[in-house]
Amino acid sequence: MSQVVLEKIVKSYGEVDVVHGIDLTVDSKEFVVLVGPSGCGKSTTLRMIAGLEEISGGKLSIGDRMVNDIAPKDRDVAMVFQNYALYPHLNVSENIAFGLRIRKVDKEEIKRSVSEVAEILGLTNYLDRKPADLSGGQRQRVAMGRAIVRHPQVFLFDEPLSNLDAQLRTQMRAEIKRLHARLGVTSIYVTHDQVEAMTLADRIVVMSAGRIEQIGTPMELFMNPVNRFVAGFIGSPPMNQIKATIVAGVDGPEAKISDSVSIPLSRAEGLASATGQSVIVGIRPEDVLLEAAGGEPSVPLEVNLIEPLGSEALIHASVGGEPFVIKTPTHGDIAHLNDIRQFHVNVDRVKVFDEKSGSALYQADQARG
């Protein structure tokens, strides 16, 4: 399998740059997910790797070859699209075999390869059916089969699950993950769904406005986001972000949220010089305590809505006029959640970001290590 290397890759439409000189190395057999909001440049980047978009600047290598000027058919990559791109007049077997027939592969080899791929994807009983006779999940498996049968150096996935319902998306995520574990092919996957990114990726590349904000494992990005954008994008529900001011406390710097509420940041020695600075305090919904365990600071709130999800619930509230979400176990009862008037802060999970630049200034769990 092959490494994919992007060096200072730029994509421009006329005088407008949509991808701004990004650098990325995808190691052999790695599963990397490009994630970000619509218009961030992730699909454009994938299409440049596939050869479907011309590269405006920079160098793209697959294996030991620079492929900037190599035609898509000669790059030895296989792409799975959002809309399946199946031929409606061909049955499943013919759709899977189409690329091999174009390359004039021996008929017996085609038959063997299609049978093997159909077995892997659970399509053996559907080989004679047309796409119109299949479910959405089955069509997506056919599209993946057509890619797998070619034994490419690299798999490219362009939001392949976005047309499926929630249950099928969950099922297909598991199938894709099992498939990658079995085949070990270098894979690059594009999605706007951070849950897909977290569950599938070896590493996640978070993009915004044509730039890479952060690259890391799912838990690295979740626990230690480098800025407010990543903090707000990774995690479901996203991290709560509250305005505060750094003040000098008795035991060290504190983040003052209101006249009566401050969060101690005594281990953040680097914030001692930031006294008076406006910041954003980041607190994840699952790091909120409804009952104090050891003197954690309390913050008043106003409950607006309880969203029961079965074993857990989301409390939608307001803190100082700003929206704030708490994720908490229900233990089979949610009635008491409407009576909550304050929460407690797990200070070991607090993040602090500069209000203007958005960059991380302090992360308690990092400082603790």
Side-chain angles (χ1 to χ4, degrees):
M1 300 307 147
S2 295
Q3 185 182 64
V4 179
V5 181
L6 287 71
E7 300 177 67
K8 308 298 180 187
I9 293 294
V10 174
K11 177 60 183 176
S12 303
Y13 295 103
E15 296 182 357
V16 179
D17 290 347
V18 295
V19 176
H20 304 271
I22 64 174
D23 293 302
L24 173 65
T25 297
V26 180
D27 292 329
S28 178
K29 300 185 180 182
E30 189 176 24
F31 197 116
V32 167
V33 177
L34 308 183
V35 68
S38 297
C40 71
K42 57 188 185 296
S43 289
T44 301
T45 300
L46 192 78
R47 290 173 65 83
M48 285 191 286
I49 296 170
L52 302 178
E53 291 278 0
E54 184 179 346
I55 297 171
S56 304
K59 178 181 176 182
L60 173 63
S61 300
I62 298 176
D64 56 0
R65 293 192 304 165
M66 189 176 87
V67 299
N68 289 47
D69 301 318
I70 294 179
K73 66 183 180 66
D74 298 322
R75 295 191 181 195
D76 199 12
V77 302
M79 192 161 180
V80 180
F81 296 90
Q82 176 180 348
N83 61 358
Y84 316 139
L86 302 178
Y87 297 104
H89 62 290
L90 302 181
N91 63 26
V92 168
S93 178
E94 292 165 335
N95 265 286
I96 293 175
F98 185 82
L100 299 181
R101 289 201 172 96
I102 292 296
R103 290 168 175 77
K104 302 186 184 303
V105 174
D106 178 77
K107 289 184 178 180
E108 286 302 314
E109 176 63 20
I110 291 176
K111 183 177 180 181
R112 185 196 65 77
S113 297
V114 169
S115 177
E116 178 184 337
V117 168
E119 180 67 25
I120 290 173
L121 295 172
L123 292 170
T124 302
N125 296 330
Y126 304 94
L127 290 175
D128 294 327
R129 294 192 187 184
K130 299 288 180 64
D133 300 322
L134 302 175
S135 69
Q138 289 165 343
R139 292 179 196 176
Q140 193 55 272
R141 287 203 295 271
V142 175
M144 287 193 292
R146 188 172 54 191
I148 294 167
V149 78
R150 292 175 49 194
H151 299 289
Q153 293 187 71
V154 180
F155 282 144
L156 305 176
F157 297 87
D158 189 9
E159 303 201 41
L161 308 185
S162 59
N163 289 338
L164 305 181
D165 61 40
Q167 184 174 356
L168 269 178
R169 283 201 302 272
T170 301
Q171 177 185 335
M172 289 302 298
R173 283 203 304 268
E175 290 190 16
I176 290 172
K177 195 157 190 173
R178 282 196 296 267
L179 190 63
H180 180 260
R182 179 170 180 172
L183 301 177
V185 179
T186 306
S187 300
I188 304 173
Y189 186 107
V190 160
T191 182
H192 63 276
D193 185 337
Q194 59 92 22
V195 174
E196 280 184 28
M198 292 288 288
T199 54
L200 285 172
D202 295 324
R203 286 190 301 151
I204 296 174
V205 179
V206 181
M207 297 186 67
S208 174
R211 293 180 171 84
I212 293 176
E213 297 288 340
Q214 187 173 0
I215 303 173
T217 67
M219 291 312 298
E220 283 173 348
L221 269 59
F222 183 81
M223 298 300 294
N224 299 306
V226 298
N227 57 36
R228 290 182 62 192
F229 178 84
V230 177
F233 198 86
I234 298 296
S236 181
M239 180 183 288
N240 296 296
Q241 299 186 22
I242 306 174
K243 292 181 181 180
T245 303
I246 299 297
V247 298
V250 175
D251 298 317
E254 298 180 354
K256 182 179 180 181
I257 295 174
S258 68
D259 289 339
S260 58
V261 177
S262 293
I263 298 176
L265 303 171
S266 55
R267 287 190 293 271
E269 297 178 1
L271 289 179
S273 61
T275 300
Q277 183 173 341
S278 296
V279 298
I280 300 295
V281 175
I283 303 172
R284 290 207 177 275
E286 50 276 349
D287 290 334
V288 173
L289 308 173
L290 296 183
E291 296 183 3
E296 296 87 355
S298 63
V299 180
L301 84 166
E302 179 182 347
V303 175
N304 301 319
L305 172 70
I306 305 297
E307 189 177 0
L309 301 175
S311 61
E312 60 187 18
L314 299 181
I315 304 172
H316 296 266
S318 298
V319 174
E322 297 187 53
F324 194 88
V325 177
I326 299 171
K327 181 187 284 189
T328 184
T330 62
H331 304 297
D333 178 26
I334 64 169
H336 68 287
L337 298 180
N338 285 296
D339 299 326
I340 293 172
R341 296 294 179 266
Q342 66 179 13
F343 67 89
H344 303 273
V345 179
N346 182 348
V347 295
D348 287 333
R349 288 289 183 264
V350 171
K351 321 293 181 186
V352 179
F353 305 95
D354 180 77
E355 185 177 18
K356 291 183 179 179
S357 69
S359 298
L361 298 175
Y362 168 67
Q363 309 203 48
D365 49 349
Q366 248 188 1
R368 188 175 63 256

